[in-house]
Amino acid sequence: LSTISWKKFPADAAPDDRASKNFQLYELTKSDLASRQEIPNGFASVDELRCAVYLCRKVMQPVRDKFGRFKPNSVYRSQALERTLKDKPANWVSTSQHVKGQACDIEVLSATNMNLAIWIRDNLKFDQLILECYSAEEGGNSGWVHVSLLPPGHGKNRKKILSYVKNLQTGKFEYVSGL
């Protein structure tokens, strides 16, 4: 299926169908939290499915080709999963790019998260690149790298680069510009 255009990726694709050379479709919706709490996490629409396939082909597969095998921490998240993850009420609606199939959180074993983020910044197209919860004091593999990408027809990619780090004075996490 990886030769099928992402725009025509079949809505009835099976979970074990390939989204790209090295990723199966189920990996784009896999969530340990959803499994443990029995939260449905299937794509809500064909558009979300196709956005996730595009993201997989343009971000996840190139990262796999460069750094080797990895499992994404999170790609698509249903509204129900997002509410549970962020401890929000049933009527809350997330605007996260994860619920649109346009974002993934990843880590690789063969590079620090900082080096992974730098490589993505220098080599791939993206909407947002966020080095999340990274702490040099905790080691190079602390945190993870969030990457979002808007497919054609979904707006312009902003190339926004941020870090989500703990403010040592307040103890709270906040977004800051740059890596």
Side-chain angles (χ1 to χ4, degrees), residues 20-23 56-70 108 110 116 119 124:
S20 72
K21 180 175 81 177
N22 294 110
F23 290 98
C56 181
R57 292 178 182 182
K58 299 297 183 178
V59 174
M60 293 168 51
Q61 186 62 52
V63 168
R64 166 73 162 75
D65 292 343
K66 172 67 177 172
F67 295 99
R69 186 179 169 104
F70 73 93
V108 298
S110 61
L116 173 60
W119 185 85
L124 301 179

Side-chain angles (χ1 to χ4, degrees), residues 73-89:
N73 295 349
S74 180
V75 183
Y76 174 77
R77 294 184 201 143
S78 66
Q79 287 288 343
L81 178 57
E82 189 79 354
R83 280 191 285 275
T84 300
L85 184 67
K86 296 185 177 175
D87 195 25
K88 297 292 185 181

